[in-house]
Each structure stands twice: as structure tokens, then as C-alpha cells.
Amino acid sequence: MVFSSAISLFFFVPIVFLLDRRLSNVDAKNTWLLLASLVFYSFGQVYYLPLLLLSVALNYVCGRLAAGKYAKLGVTLAVIGGIGLLAVFKYADFAIRTVNALCGLHLPLTGIALPIGISFFTFQGLSYVIDVYREPQTVSHSFKKVLLYIAFFPQLIAGPIVKYHDIEQEIDSRRTTPQETALGIRRFICGLSKKLLLSNALGQMADTVFALPAGEIGMLAGWTGAICYTLQIYFDFSGYSDMAIGLGRMFGFHFRENFNYPYTATTIKEFWRRWHISLSGWFRDYLYIPLGGNRKGNARTWLNRFLVFFATGLWHGASWTFVLWGLWHGLFSVLEDCGAIPVDKLKGKRIGQLYTLLVVVLGFTLFRADTLAQAGAMYAAMFSGVGLHWLGTAAVWAKFTPAFALTLCLALLLCTSVAREHTPKRESVTFIGSLGLLLLCMMYLAAGSFNPFIYFRF
């Protein structure tokens, strides 16, 4: 099951928003938003609601311990509990499949379904406990506030990862104005439009290419599929982040930005300062720096980078394609750092952007592939698939309609800051444009062709 944005737009969000507006007491608002968030999660997997509550309860108790004389015990239990949940529900079958492949065994898989949003709410809970361990005065003595912080529905199932101290004051005291509400609605519509009008169309082309037999892809289809998926995942995830930020703003919460035009980066290190900012910041603060960061010499710094990118890849999914995707980015990060790639000559230049895009596109090809063999077939087609590959070429041209060509051009344009720089300054114009986008989204949803968000898988 996937919690459709159609439900959010036409039923769930308006009801939650209107009732929230009728409540004047912040505590009552928090109670209402908490109940709404639990109902939201139940739409997806009601049988995993106790797991969510258990995770939050564990982090709440560990947070209380981390603020007192049992600080080390509290943070240790939180880490063991959080990583343990991920190990059981996300990585158990991956470990069994790996052991079976390496040892020639036939151990049965657990078949456990992946809880929606487990990677996000686990990391968010861990960040709370670790922050309390570092600054005990930030502990919350209210279980309800911690539960609302972790389970708040806009960012519960696909981020961005929010730190408790960023919204602590807004949980206790927040106010909304018609202007803030209007800006939140506009941001939500922009995110929804990214997903429905851009990501889905690009995803159809990518899915078509990745479904082709290995020998029928060809260079044209290979690069088309890889580029389309690179654009698809950006508009899918940045679109959801926009929706979450917009919804949060409607209810008086201000989440930090999660994307900053990552495809304009001119180095891989810059790319990760712009892509999924909340996740890269989490790994920096809670893994890279505790490992020693760059304070213990070059060799240790590069090892720490590889460990972080290994964890980043594994966080995204229980597959070696994700792990190797992370290590791929780690490799270029280290090569840039050690001088093997002349960063000074790349920064701020077009050649640097082309280099970064090439690394990113090749990486996302591996990320999208179902198996390493499929990734290898895609790479072979992209770099040596010269010749007539009728099936692949026909499949691409069948999808390459004038509407798709327009979508692709818009997507390439909106990946840059050009669109933002040329956005009309008059709010009346931008709001009218948002209403037009909303109408297009409603027409799309009415056609019944809505697809789930990619990051719901993680």
C-alpha cells in the first residue's frame, strides 16, 4: 500500500488543517496533529504502528537516561535498539541472501515486510538521543512532544530528517499567518507538481529502458534511461521534500531545505552538500565526526569517508547495488581530496559540472538497477552499444512524444537556478501559477496514474 497524495490533497490535509485552525491552545493543536499523524501512518501499515510507537518510546526513555547519570547507557541502548530494528526489518534477508550466495547454503528468508519510513524515523530518534547526550539540557520530559517530533506526518515516511532542537520552540509555541499558510500551500503544490508532472513522466521512460533485455538496450536507450532516472529521482525526492516543507509551514513548523540544485555542483563533495542535505548532515554529525573526521591524518580521513559512504549506500536499501553506489561516491570524494582529481580546476566551471554529472548519472544507473548484472548491461550499452538495437531504439522512440520532449526540457531547466532567478516577483502571479499547476495535478490524479514516491522504499 502507498499513501497516495490524492488522499492528502483532497481529504486528509484539508480536514487536519481546518481543525487545527479551530484550536487556539498549542497543547490541543499538538494533540490533534499527533493523532492525525498516527492515523496517517496507519493508512499505510497499521500493523506496524506499534513498532513506530515502540521506537519512539525507546528513544524517549534513552533520552531521559542520556540527560542524567546513566548517559552512556542511554545513548548505547538507543544506538543498539535503533540499529537493531533496522537489522531485523531491513537487512535480515539481505544478510541471509549474502550468506547463501557465499557459502552455497539455502537458508530460508524471513519475508518480513519493510515498515514504511523506518530509516527516517529511526535516524531521527537517534539524532534526538545523541543530541541530548551531548547537551543534556535539551532533553524533553514530555513523551507526547517527542512522539510528535518523530511521527509528525509531513516528514514521517520520507523525510527530511529533522533535528529536535530545530523545531523544539515551534512545538511549544508557534503561530501561523495567512501569508505563511499561503506560502506553505504554494510550496506543497510545487512539490506535488514535481512528482506528478515531471518525475512520473521521466520514470516511465526510465522503467521502459531498464525493463529491456540486456542485449537490446543500445547506446541511445542506455543513456536515455540513465539520464531520465537521474532526473526522476531528483524531482521525486525533492518534490516530496517540498511537500513536507510546505505542509510543515502550513502548521507553523519551519523545516530546513533538503535540496539546493545538486546537479549544478562542480565536484562530488559539493554535490553532497546540495543533495539530501538532511541525510548527509546526519552522517557528518553522527558518524563521520565521531569516527575522527579529518583530524587524524589523510589515511584515516579517507577511511572515514569510505565508511560513511558505505553506510549511506546501505541506508538506502538492502542490496549490493546501493552499497556500491555509496562506495562509488566515496571513491570520487577521496580522489578529489587527495588531489588525484584537480578540484581547484573544476570548481565553478562548466567542465566541473560535466564531470560531476557524469559521475552522478553513472552512479544512479547502478542505484536504479535491480542487480549488478543489469547495471553491467546498462554500462556496456552506454559505452559500447553502437549499432542497431531495434527493440531498445523502438521502445525509446515510442515514448519520446512531443509531450515527453517538453517535459524533458522543463526538467533540465528546473534542475538549475535559472527558473528561480526568473520567477516573477509579484506574489499574485506566482499564486495564480500555483493554482494552474494544482489544476494540472488534479487532472493527472483523476486519470488514476499516480505512482508511489521512490523514497517510500527506504
Side-chain angles (χ1 to χ4, degrees), residues 122-429:
T122 299
F123 270 30
Q124 196 152 303
L126 282 175
S127 74
Y128 166 72
V129 177
I130 296 172
D131 284 348
V132 169
Y133 176 75
R134 293 172 175 173
E135 299 181 37
Q137 70 275 14
T138 61
V139 67
S140 174
H141 295 276
S142 169
F143 175 72
K144 184 172 75 173
K145 290 180 182 178
V146 176
L147 180 57
L148 176 61
Y149 152 67
I150 295 176
F152 188 36
F153 73 91
Q155 45 79 49
L156 171 60
I157 55 179
I161 301 171
V162 179
K163 294 184 178 180
Y164 184 72
H165 59 72
D166 288 338
I167 63 169
E168 178 182 8
Q169 292 185 348
E170 292 176 334
I171 291 177
D172 293 327
S173 176
R174 62 184 180 275
R175 58 186 296 271
T176 55
T177 64
Q179 176 74 2
E180 285 283 292
T181 300
L183 290 173
I185 293 173
R186 186 177 68 181
R187 186 67 178 269
F188 176 86
I189 293 173
C190 287
L192 185 66
S193 301
K194 281 184 178 181
K195 165 60 182 171
L196 297 182
L197 306 181
L198 296 177
S199 178
N200 282 2
L202 295 162
Q204 290 176 9
M205 176 67 82
D207 289 348
T208 296
V209 173
F210 278 87
L212 290 170
E216 297 293 340
I217 300 175
M219 187 175 290
L220 172 65
W223 281 103
T224 301
I227 292 171
C228 284
Y229 182 73
T230 301
L231 293 170
Q232 177 197 3
I233 194 170
Y234 169 67
F235 286 109
D236 181 283
F237 194 28
S238 70
Y240 188 90
S241 293
D242 287 344
M243 292 170 67
I245 292 170
L247 287 172
R249 197 164 187 173
M250 288 167 59
F251 292 101
F253 294 92
H254 293 80
F255 301 148
R256 294 187 177 185
E257 295 295 332
N258 208 26
F259 288 85
N260 182 22
Y261 299 102
Y263 294 160
T264 64
T266 53
T267 65
I268 290 300
K269 291 174 69 175
E270 183 188 357
F271 171 81
W272 279 99
R273 289 194 293 268
R274 294 171 174 269
W275 174 273
H276 202 341
I277 299 169
S278 64
L279 179 66
S280 57
W282 195 99
F283 277 112
R284 180 196 63 227
D285 295 341
Y286 303 115
L287 184 58
Y288 181 67
I289 292 177
L291 285 172
N294 58 0
R295 302 187 303 273
K296 298 185 178 182
N298 288 337
R300 181 64 180 273
T301 297
W302 300 335
L303 175 61
N304 291 342
R305 292 240 177 113
F306 273 116
L307 290 174
V308 167
F309 277 104
F310 172 87
T312 301
L314 192 61
W315 178 89
H316 279 85
S319 169
W320 286 110
T321 56
F322 294 121
V323 172
L324 291 177
W325 168 78
L327 293 176
W328 170 259
H329 280 269
L331 172 64
F332 282 93
S333 177
V334 169
L335 290 175
E336 290 176 3
D337 194 57
C338 71
I341 294 178
V343 174
D344 292 339
K345 296 181 180 180
L346 297 176
K347 283 184 177 179
K349 297 180 180 179
R350 181 67 63 185
I351 189 173
Q353 187 176 1
L354 292 174
Y355 144 74
T356 303
L357 285 174
L358 178 62
V359 173
V360 169
V361 170
L362 294 177
F364 276 134
T365 302
L366 179 61
F367 189 96
R368 170 60 178 80
D370 294 325
T371 63
L372 294 177
Q374 186 182 38
M378 281 291 293
Y379 291 143
M382 292 165 70
F383 290 100
S384 62
V386 180
L388 298 176
H389 295 79
W390 293 110
L391 183 60
T393 302
V396 168
W397 283 115
K399 291 285 185 180
F400 214 98
T401 62
F404 176 81
L406 176 61
T407 299
L408 181 60
C409 291
L410 286 174
L412 292 171
L413 177 65
L414 293 174
C415 281
T416 71
S417 59
V418 172
R420 181 177 64 180
E421 293 168 356
H422 292 83
T423 299
K425 303 302 181 183
R426 293 182 60 182
E427 290 189 354
S428 58
V429 176

